[in-house]
Amino acid sequence: MNSELLRSDLFLLTLTVGLYCFGGWLYRRTKSPLLHPVLLTFVAVIVFLQAAEIDYARYEEATEMLDFALGLSVVSLGYLLYEQVERLRRSLLPVVVATLAGCFAGVTSVVYIAMAFGAERQLLTSLAPKSVTVPIAVSVAEPLGGVVSVTSVVVFCVGIFGSVCGEWILRRCGVRNPEARGFALGAAAHGIGTARAIETGAVEGALSGLAMALMGLATALLLPLMERYLY
């Protein structure tokens, strides 16, 4: 196939969307978390770029539209908060405590583990916002000196892990309450975990979306302070 066609914006954008749609169809047929459409698309795109010898900069340029749409999706998190206003009012203190505890634990756990292995400060900052959605994580890590590509990959891997193993871990820990399960998935595994929570049930999905939004807000506000005073 013509190399210019393979490198074109239209082909790369169509390939990405097509792979995701195929992955979604396969996932719905099998119901296997290991066949998550995001994971399949991620692996397939990497294999294609390597085989076609297309660098990531070219791919990123061709798929800027998807990055723009991803940014809009972050704005839509405000609607999730609006939907849960009454629930938030009734459980304001537990929700605030859980959000702050989740933000603190999510950041410090990965940072101190990486420090124990001798990671440099730039890598620490890149890893710190692992539990929030990519646009927020990148927006927070980059001004602090983090590497955007590392942050993006880590956030993706955390989301996939939460989607695949999150429910099993919660069951093993004895967490049965649907609100707690949903909140945990959204707080730890952002959008991909929320997608999994929605499949589990309406309550889990609603609380997961709320947790994802609140964790993004808390991380954006608190990570610069933690980066300055805690590591």
Side-chain angles (χ1 to χ4, degrees):
M1 189 178 291
N2 190 304
S3 61
E4 290 300 319
L5 174 61
L6 295 180
R7 294 173 177 272
S8 67
D9 292 2
L10 179 60
F11 181 84
L12 292 174
L13 184 60
T14 304
L15 175 69
T16 304
V17 176
L19 286 172
Y20 182 83
C21 292
F22 172 74
W25 172 82
L26 188 62
Y27 179 66
R28 288 191 297 271
R29 291 289 298 270
T30 62
K31 297 297 182 181
S32 172
L34 294 176
L35 295 178
H36 196 286
V38 176
L39 178 60
L40 290 177
T41 304
F42 181 76
V43 174
V45 168
I46 290 177
V47 171
F48 171 78
L49 294 180
Q50 289 291 328
E53 298 182 348
I54 300 174
D55 57 47
Y56 179 73
R58 171 82 276 271
Y59 175 76
E60 184 180 28
E61 181 184 358
T63 56
E64 283 181 344
M65 182 182 299
L66 297 180
D67 289 337
F68 177 73
L70 192 60
L72 294 179
S73 70
V74 176
V75 178
S76 69
L77 295 179
Y79 183 71
L80 294 176
L81 286 175
Y82 173 76
E83 282 189 321
Q84 303 302 322
V85 167
E86 291 304 320
R87 187 183 296 273
L88 186 60
R89 286 174 180 170
R90 294 195 300 269
S91 307
L92 183 59
L93 182 59
V95 167
V96 171
V97 172
T99 301
L100 294 178
C103 177
F104 181 81
V107 172
T108 56
S109 59
V110 69
V111 164
Y112 289 138
I113 290 173
M115 287 176 65
F117 283 93
E120 298 180 353
R121 188 177 188 85
Q122 185 180 48
L123 181 58
L124 298 179
T125 302
S126 304
L127 297 174
K130 65 176 179 58
S131 297
V132 298
T133 189
V134 171
I136 296 178
V138 167
S139 299
V140 174
E142 187 175 18
L144 297 177
V147 181
V148 170
S149 57
V150 173
T151 300
S152 301
V153 171
V154 169
V155 169
F156 168 79
C157 292
V158 168
I160 290 295
F161 178 81
S163 176
V164 173
C165 303
E167 288 186 88
W168 179 83
I169 293 174
L170 290 171
R171 285 197 302 269
R172 297 289 292 180
C173 293
V175 180
R176 306 296 180 186
N177 184 281
E179 294 184 359
R181 291 165 64 88
F183 198 93
L185 285 172
H190 49 85
I192 303 178
T194 297
R196 182 62 179 166
I198 291 173
E199 296 175 6
T200 304
V203 174
E204 289 90 336
L207 266 295
S208 186
L210 175 62
M212 178 176 63
L214 292 178
M215 274 292 291
L217 178 62
T219 302
L221 294 175
L222 299 179
L223 182 57
L225 297 177
M226 289 188 277
E227 187 269 343
R228 181 174 182 178
Y229 295 109
L230 295 183
Y231 69 92

